[in-house]
Amino acid sequence: MTVDAVQDGQARLTLSGMLDLARPAVLQQCRALAQPYPRFCLFFAFTDGNQRAGVVHVTGGEFDAVWRQGADLIRGLTGEAGGQAAGWLRVDWVDSVEATHWARLQSALGDTKRNYFRYGIAFDPDFRHALTEQELNANAVLYAGSTVTNARFNPDNLAIYGRLRFGAEPALPADDAEVLVFSTSAIFCDGEELHALHSRGLETGRRVVGALDAPIVKGMIRSGSDFLARQVGGDGRFVYGYHPCFDRQIAAYNTLRHASTTYSMVEAFEVTRDPGLKVAIERSLSHLTGQMIRSVTLDDGREGAFLVDTGGEIKLGGNAVAILALVKHCEVTGDRRHWQLMEKLAIGISAMQDTASGGFVHVLDFPGLKVKQAFRTIYYDGEAAFGLMRLYGLTRDPRWLAIVERAFDYFIREEHWRHHDHWLGYCVNELTRYRPEERYFRFGLQNVAGYLDFVTERITTFPTLLEIMMAARDMLVRMRAMPDLHHLFGSIDLEKFERALEARARHLLNGFFWPEMAMFFGNPARIAGSFFIRHQAFRVRIDDVEHYLSGYVAYLRHLASSEEFHDLVVAHGRARISAGQGV
């Protein structure tokens, strides 16, 4: 086996070496297709990591001949004599085929959520023009824009990729023409070892992961936070995000998400203690505090501060997540230099509360502080209350607790638990630490109890669902030491809760940009190791990554004491059986 120069301390296989390593594994697993299809159809994909993978496919009746031809073709795409380039190799083989007609396929796409068509398509019955599921989705061939919620052919994108892949634009079939829909099994080599990949369902195309244990979770936290650190420029501003199909940078900006992303980076730093991440956090905080937050004198003479967004908007949630970032930074590093600024931001939030009702105004104009929008999103309420609770936990200043309790009178009265908001889940978990009152615990349970089927079954990764579950999990564990509240356990199925929590944590693996998926996009090295939102054309935005990180940081803590939680679940199950409620 040939190797190139040592990279990151590891000797990495060249393409030839990876092909040598992969062949026995593919041969062992690949099974011949039945007639009338070619017995073997293999796809070879390779990238050096810096550009979209080159892909070739070969069909034939004998495995050895198909493999040899495919290996020669993929070596030829590297542009290196003998194929000695190092990078990533993936080999797919067709394992099932279904013939259909073009019109029927269009109808099936209309019933499929965009970017969730998980099969390859051959545009002719002989597999001359065939694209795998990964190729179709990474090149937006089945994406018709953000206003079209279902999968739909994009002829322009098909033409662009078709010319690259086949040297000519594949002709779209007539409505009654036969086309093939197929699935593949695959292996991936990262230059060091082989990884088996899933071939069915929501996991299609990414590696098989056994137990979702601490090393796996910590590795994703490190990788995702490294990605965020790389997005922080010298001036402290982030690259806001990417549309990775074509490596297009998102030009917009949002100061609220700047602050909340920084908060998640500090959470990750508490886990990794990575020096490079710390440097990026400091740059981001410097820009946040020096450029984005403005101090003002309120009408009552108090000195407040507000996070100002584009368009001169003051968002309630902006002040809240700025407090979250600064409090967490203070807790993790011991740095108290932003103590006064946190107080001024909290005063800003207090100025946005109606003391009579407890509710908040959501958006003000800067600098006039006139109400621009009384309500914008339910998230702002939870963010504001959570931010103040975290500040109270740091300073024990009763002003902040009083604001939150007034707000919760309003939240309970308006049944805000019906929104199943993760920020409210975070907040009520914090509130019950200092005010362990039944009404607050009841609210926290209501926030998730009727939501468990959604948490379990939602096909999008929806990372905030893990966050809401982790906040509720912490609250449930603390309730175990409070016998007067044990009757509340009857309002939630803890066995179902545990299954939903674990299912959601595993499903988030499908939103991680494993290299075997990233390799098909416009700039694999830029996005590998980040997190994405599939139904938004695989968008990678700083706040998308933020929520995956926060969920997995909390899940990592859960793994450290999972037996404690499972004991609670088991005890609750026994109690239900004793009470005649069944298993």
Side-chain angles (χ1 to χ4, degrees):
M1 242 173 243
T2 55
V3 297
D4 71 339
V6 173
Q7 180 173 335
D8 297 329
Q10 296 291 327
R12 295 177 57 81
L13 297 171
T14 64
L15 173 56
S16 291
M18 288 189 281
L19 287 165
D20 290 344
L21 182 64
R23 186 183 182 282
V26 177
L27 176 61
Q28 181 181 23
Q29 300 175 60
C30 185
R31 298 291 179 265
L33 298 172
Q35 292 183 343
Y37 308 114
R39 295 185 74 236
F40 298 100
C41 180
L42 272 61
F43 293 78
F44 295 75
F46 177 81
T47 178
D48 62 2
N50 296 312
Q51 57 189 338
R52 192 187 304 273
V55 183
V56 298
H57 78 279
V58 181
T59 63
E62 297 296 331
F63 178 85
D64 286 344
V66 170
W67 180 272
R68 187 164 51 251
Q69 183 181 358
D72 287 344
L73 286 172
I74 199 66
R75 285 190 184 100
L77 284 184
T78 68
E80 298 287 337
Q84 299 304 302
W88 300 332
L89 171 72
R90 173 168 164 159
V91 182
D92 285 68
W93 56 96
V94 176
D95 58 19
S96 69
V97 185
E98 179 180 344
T100 187
H101 293 96
W102 183 248
R104 193 179 306 157
L105 176 57
Q106 306 306 300
S107 178
L109 292 175
D111 294 331
T112 304
K113 190 176 184 68
R114 67 183 179 214
N115 298 120
Y116 277 84
F117 187 79
R118 309 308 302 272
Y119 301 95
I121 297 173
F123 295 88
D124 53 76
D126 298 322
F127 278 96
R128 289 192 308 274
H129 295 117
L131 300 176
T132 64
E133 179 261 343
Q134 299 292 323
E135 291 180 276
L136 290 168
N137 284 320
N139 291 279
V141 172
L142 302 179
Y143 180 77
S146 60
T147 62
V148 180
T149 60
N150 57 279
R152 181 189 296 176
F153 263 99
N154 186 316
D156 293 336
N157 290 343
L158 176 60
I160 292 169
Y161 185 63
R163 288 191 293 269
L164 176 69
R165 175 81 151 77
F166 305 113
E169 190 176 316
L172 293 180
D175 283 350
D176 60 351
E178 183 180 279
V179 294
L180 306 178
V181 175
F182 63 89
S183 61
T184 65
S185 297
I187 56 94
F188 171 76
C189 186
D190 58 9
E192 298 174 12
E193 59 182 323
L194 292 178
H195 300 273
L197 307 184
H198 285 281
S199 60
R200 298 292 186 275
L202 297 173
E203 294 82 16
T204 297
R206 60 99 170 154
R207 68 190 58 187
V208 175
V209 175
L212 187 53
D213 56 16
I216 291 289
V217 175
K218 190 171 182 179
M220 288 189 293
I221 292 170
R222 180 178 296 278
S223 178
S225 58
D226 283 349
F227 170 81
L228 289 179
R230 294 196 302 271
Q231 307 316 304
V232 182
D235 62 355
R237 283 173 63 93
F238 289 91
V239 175
Y240 192 48
Y242 302 94
H243 295 300
C245 290
F246 305 108
D247 192 31
R248 292 172 182 159
Q249 188 170 317
I250 298 174
Y253 211 77
N254 183 304
T255 61
L256 186 156
R257 289 169 179 157
H258 177 115
S260 61
T261 299
T262 306
Y263 167 61
S264 74
M265 292 168 70
V266 182
E267 287 186 297
F269 175 73
E270 190 173 26
V271 171
T272 69
R273 295 291 172 175
D274 181 80
L277 178 59
K278 177 67 159 48
V279 170
I281 289 169
E282 295 299 335
R283 286 204 307 270
S284 174
L285 282 178
S286 177
H287 191 79
L288 175 70
T289 58
Q291 303 296 322
M292 296 177 169
I293 296 174
R294 307 290 181 85
S295 295
V296 298
T297 301
L298 302 176
D299 290 343
D300 60 10
R302 291 182 298 167
E303 288 296 315
F306 295 98
L307 179 67
V308 181
D309 212 335
T310 54
E313 285 193 342
I314 293 170
K315 300 171 181 175
L316 174 68
N319 267 39
V321 293
I323 290 173
L324 287 175
L326 295 173
V327 168
K328 189 66 179 178
H329 180 261
C330 180
E331 289 177 337
V332 172
T333 67
D335 186 342
R336 293 169 57 100
R337 69 191 136 124
H338 300 303
W339 197 275
Q340 185 179 15
L341 180 58
M342 288 187 278
E343 178 179 9
K344 292 168 70 175
L345 287 164
I347 289 171
I349 290 178
S350 73
M352 299 177 77
Q353 185 179 47
D354 179 355
T355 55
S357 71
F360 292 103
V361 169
H362 282 192
V363 185
L364 305 177
D365 275 320
F366 182 84
L369 306 187
K370 292 181 179 179
V371 176
K372 179 175 181 179
Q373 201 169 357
F375 177 87
R376 178 167 292 180
T377 172
I378 193 66
Y379 294 144
Y380 288 176
D381 289 337
E383 286 168 333
F386 181 44
L388 291 177
M389 280 310 308
R390 294 288 289 120
L391 183 57
Y392 174 77
L394 181 69
T395 68
R396 294 301 197 275
D397 189 322
R399 289 178 293 173
W400 319 136
L401 181 59
I403 293 171
V404 174
E405 291 207 87
R406 280 197 300 271
F408 256 87
D409 287 341
Y410 174 77
F411 299 157
I412 292 170
R413 187 167 63 250
E414 297 296 319
E415 297 185 332
H416 271 18
W417 56 267
R418 294 185 182 276
H419 298 285
H420 307 295
D421 172 30
H422 63 287
W423 292 113
L424 284 173
Y426 277 138
C427 179
V428 75
N429 181 42
E430 290 296 316
L431 179 57
T432 53
R433 295 181 190 278
Y434 306 102
R435 288 288 189 267
E437 299 179 14
E438 180 174 332
R439 61 187 179 131
Y440 298 144
F441 282 103
R442 186 181 299 278
F443 182 98
L445 294 182
Q446 289 173 315
N447 202 37
V448 296
Y451 207 39
L452 300 180
D453 287 338
F454 186 88
V455 171
T456 303
E457 298 168 5
R458 179 73 175 182
I459 67 168
T460 62
T461 47
F462 212 144
T464 57
L465 294 182
L466 182 58
E467 293 185 81
I468 195 174
M469 294 296 287
M470 297 314 307
R473 180 261 187 213
D474 289 350
M475 192 181 70
L476 286 163
V477 169
R478 287 188 290 104
M479 285 173 59
R480 192 176 188 185
M482 304 175 185
D484 291 347
L485 297 176
H486 282 189
H487 62 282
L488 293 179
F489 286 133
S491 66
I492 188 168
D493 184 337
L494 280 187
E495 294 93 336
K496 189 174 185 178
F497 180 96
E498 184 178 40
R499 291 194 300 271
L501 186 157
E502 297 298 341
R504 186 50 45 178
R506 285 201 69 88
H507 189 28
L508 262 61
L509 292 170
N510 299 322
F512 183 71
F513 252 134
W514 304 96
E516 58 266 25
M517 298 174 63
M519 65 186 296
F520 294 96
F521 289 79
N523 188 336
R526 195 189 305 282
I527 58 171
S530 67
F531 294 91
F532 63 85
I533 303 297
R534 174 178 283 269
H535 67 283
Q536 300 290 1
F538 299 87
R539 182 189 70 200
V540 179
R541 204 169 65 189
I542 58 172
D543 58 308
D544 298 329
V545 179
E546 159 205 338
H547 289 297
Y548 281 96
L549 281 181
S550 291
Y552 271 139
V553 166
Y555 187 75
L556 186 64
R557 292 195 300 267
H558 162 72
L559 289 175
S561 60
S562 58
E563 290 185 5
E564 177 185 16
F565 182 69
H566 185 66
D567 289 345
L568 170 63
V569 173
V570 171
H572 172 68
R574 289 172 180 162
R576 291 179 65 210
I577 293 172
S578 299
Q581 297 178 28
V583 179

